[in-house]
Amino acid sequence: AHRTATSLDRYRDWSRASDVEFQGDSVELAQAMQRALDGDPVIRGTSLRYLVNAFPISDTATLPDIAILSDPAGDYGVTIDRVRVLEGRVPRADAPAEVIVNEVAATLLDVGPGDVLPVLTWSAADLEALFQEGGFPGFNGPPVDLEIVGIGRTPRDLPGELRRTDLIALASPGFLDAYPAGAWPPAVVARLADADRDLEAAAGLVGR
């Protein structure tokens, strides 16, 4: 009973789950917030987390879009918010098309290790048009043949309720260099020395 009752806490410890997320409106602001957090004693670790919306191509079905998460520095999914591999493996750093998907994505998209998932993406200009005009700009980002190399579980999967952003693919650090799709301004995720005590201090470091 004790092992069951503590399973969530043990998973958060193992995965080095982030305790707080700060969203900026530009890469420069996100980088500035990360610099403000790094090195402070209340912070155990940080990462920038980029998100690219990918839209699977299918002739037979309407498929939900999937959130491709990546970090060019290679920290997200490795030293913070680690993914637990259930099947297969994590993407190689030198293989930008490789991704590991979470269980929800594997089920709803019917994919697993060894499968290739063709997707369309938005460009940076597409995202700007969505913000300013609200109309559908088309898919003008690079098409990508995602190579599924694993199925995993991430800390974002733990709440247990299905949301639109719950289809996740963790990509190689080289993803955005190889496929310069439109990425939303990165979020800064951080682990705190004490999640209950240090949240206000962390917010103060980034001026929020």
Side-chain angles (χ1 to χ4, degrees):
H2 173 75
R3 183 171 179 81
T4 300
T6 60
S7 60
L8 181 59
D9 289 337
R10 286 187 289 106
Y11 181 75
R12 284 186 56 83
D13 288 343
W14 175 88
S15 64
R16 300 171 188 158
S18 56
D19 300 298
V20 63
E21 174 181 322
F22 298 104
Q23 182 68 59
D25 58 7
S26 70
V27 175
E28 293 75 19
L29 177 57
Q31 291 172 336
M33 290 192 294
Q34 186 181 31
R35 288 193 298 270
L37 293 168
D38 283 342
D40 192 277
V42 305
I43 305 298
R44 285 185 175 176
T46 66
S47 170
L48 293 183
R49 187 191 66 216
Y50 289 79
L51 188 154
V52 169
N53 293 103
F55 299 83
I57 301 170
S58 173
D59 295 330
T60 60
T62 300
L63 301 176
D65 62 294
I66 185 169
I68 301 178
L69 306 180
S70 67
D71 169 20
D75 293 320
Y76 187 76
V78 178
T79 64
I80 187 169
D81 286 346
R82 293 169 65 193
V83 60
R84 182 181 292 279
V85 178
L86 304 176
E87 186 178 345
R89 59 176 176 81
V90 297
R92 299 194 310 269
D94 61 350
E98 291 186 350
V99 297
I100 181 171
V101 298
N102 67 347
E103 295 165 285
V104 175
T107 298
L108 294 183
L109 299 176
D110 192 24
V111 294
D115 290 331
V116 174
L117 182 68
V119 298
L120 300 175
T121 65
W122 282 319
S123 67
D126 292 339
L127 294 183
E128 191 70 21
L130 284 167
F131 270 125
Q132 294 185 354
E133 303 166 14
F136 176 62
F139 299 115
N140 298 299
V144 186
D145 289 332
L146 295 177
E147 300 172 13
I148 313 299
V149 297
I151 300 172
R153 185 173 298 147
T154 78
R156 286 173 59 130
D157 297 322
L158 297 182
E161 58 185 56
L162 187 63
R163 295 162 299 188
R164 180 180 174 276
T165 55
D166 279 346
L167 277 73
I168 295 170
L170 179 65
S172 161
F175 175 77
L176 283 172
D177 282 340
Y179 305 103
W184 299 98
V188 183
V189 296
R191 295 177 64 225
L192 304 178
D194 187 315
D196 296 324
R197 182 195 64 202
D198 296 332
L199 182 59
E200 185 175 345
L205 290 171
V206 298
R208 301 193 164 204

